[in-house]
Amino acid sequence: DTGVSQDPRHKITKRGQNVTFRCDPISEHNRLYWYRQTLGQGPEFLTYFQNEAQLEKSRLLSDRFSAERPKGSFSTLEIQRTEQGDSAMYLCASSSDGYSPLHFGNGTRLTVT
Amino acid sequence: DQQVKQNSPSLSVQEGRISILNCDYTNSMFDYFLWYKKYPAEGPTFLISISSIKDKNEDGRFTVFLNKSAKHLSLHIVPSQPGDSAVYFCAASENSGYSTLTFGKGTMLLVSP
């Protein structure tokens, strides 16, 4: 069990640029989740996958956000035309099923200047 | 509107004493509750959970109490240790599982020697 891995740890980008984050879940975990945490707040749910199927998306996930999990293993989260309000910690988590607690990675901190 | 509320941003306790962290919720559909601990620069780590069919769950030094009528839960840490110093998040789910979690804003616990 190597834990949930996220890359990069930090990303600084200029407003209007596109960014992509990667998450590698714990091996054999079928479920993968993306959350976002802003300063002073708890994590907020964005979306989750069961294998390669994206089963639920939060209304927080605007059209500029897209997440994929093409082979049911790693996942990517892309933000297009970044805005300053996108600055946050993006957390990935995985679980073996819907009844097991989520294991979180250490997150990718995005700063949009 | 915050569906999960942690009204105390911080709590200071002496080593060896009891730490009590509180959480209130407004959504009657929540039926699974969890506590996560978060150290700086790390992702949240699962601590303990409780189903709405129970009113208490214990795991070592950690006990979670649920009062459904008051829509209130609390985490007790006995005895508190300096290594317990972290931000504690209360989270809830309404799917009898962990598919999507709603988090509170967190309480920072400081345990002094």
Side-chain angles (χ1 to χ4, degrees):
Chain A
D1 180 352
T2 57
V4 177
S5 177
Q6 292 188 245
D7 184 69
R9 288 298 306 274
H10 300 93
K11 178 71 176 178
I12 300 173
T13 191
K14 292 185 178 180
R15 188 175 53 189
Q17 297 295 305
N18 299 344
V19 294
T20 300
F21 311 139
R22 177 181 170 120
C23 172
D24 288 90
I26 293 171
S27 58
E28 299 181 358
H29 273 192
N30 295 324
R31 292 204 169 197
L32 186 147
Y33 309 78
W34 285 99
Y35 281 75
R36 180 175 69 185
Q37 184 178 14
T38 53
L39 199 62
Q41 304 293 318
E44 295 174 296
F45 170 76
L46 292 178
T47 187
Y48 87 91
F49 294 83
Q50 169 83 24
N51 298 315
E52 66 275 10
Q54 189 172 17
L55 295 188
E56 189 168 342
K57 293 196 297 186
S58 163
R59 57 184 169 79
L60 292 176
L61 213 65
S62 76
D63 291 344
R64 297 184 297 105
F65 288 70
S66 63
E68 294 182 344
R69 194 182 183 198
K71 297 183 179 179
S73 56
F74 73 91
S75 174
T76 57
L77 177 68
E78 181 184 17
I79 309 175
Q80 296 183 329
R81 304 181 303 281
T82 53
E83 301 173 356
Q84 286 190 318
D86 297 331
S87 296
M89 175 72 80
Y90 289 84
L91 293 163
C92 177
S94 69
S95 66
S96 54
D97 53 49
Y99 299 95
S100 300
L102 277 60
H103 296 259
F104 282 89
N106 289 334
T108 293
R109 179 167 295 284
L110 173 67
T111 301
V112 181
T113 61
Chain B
D1 62 331
Q2 282 268 308
Q3 296 188 67
V4 177
K5 301 177 184 178
Q6 294 179 258
N7 293 320
S8 298
S10 63
L11 175 67
S12 293
V13 171
Q14 281 194 316
E15 180 179 8
R17 300 286 187 109
I18 183 172
S19 294
I20 299 176
L21 297 100
N22 294 305
C23 178
D24 297 294
Y25 61 95
T26 57
N27 187 342
S28 302
M29 299 301 292
F30 286 147
D31 55 7
Y32 253 75
F33 303 90
L34 306 88
W35 285 93
Y36 276 82
K37 178 170 74 173
K38 186 182 183 305
Y39 294 118
E42 294 184 10
T45 302
F46 170 73
L47 258 183
I48 191 169
S49 64
I50 188 167
S51 162
S52 59
I53 62 174
K54 296 184 176 181
D55 55 18
K56 177 183 174 181
N57 189 25
E58 200 170 344
D59 184 1
R61 296 185 298 114
F62 303 91
T63 303
V64 56
F65 295 92
L66 175 62
N67 182 333
K68 283 185 295 184
S69 61
K71 294 190 177 68
H72 177 84
L73 63 156
S74 60
L75 175 69
H76 292 211
I77 307 173
V78 184
S80 302
Q81 300 173 353
D84 296 329
S85 297
V87 177
Y88 289 77
F89 290 101
C90 172
S93 170
E94 61 177 273
N95 299 321
S96 294
Y98 304 130
S99 295
T100 60
L101 297 178
T102 301
F103 283 83
K105 292 185 178 183
T107 296
M108 179 177 293
L109 173 66
L110 177 62
V111 182
S112 53

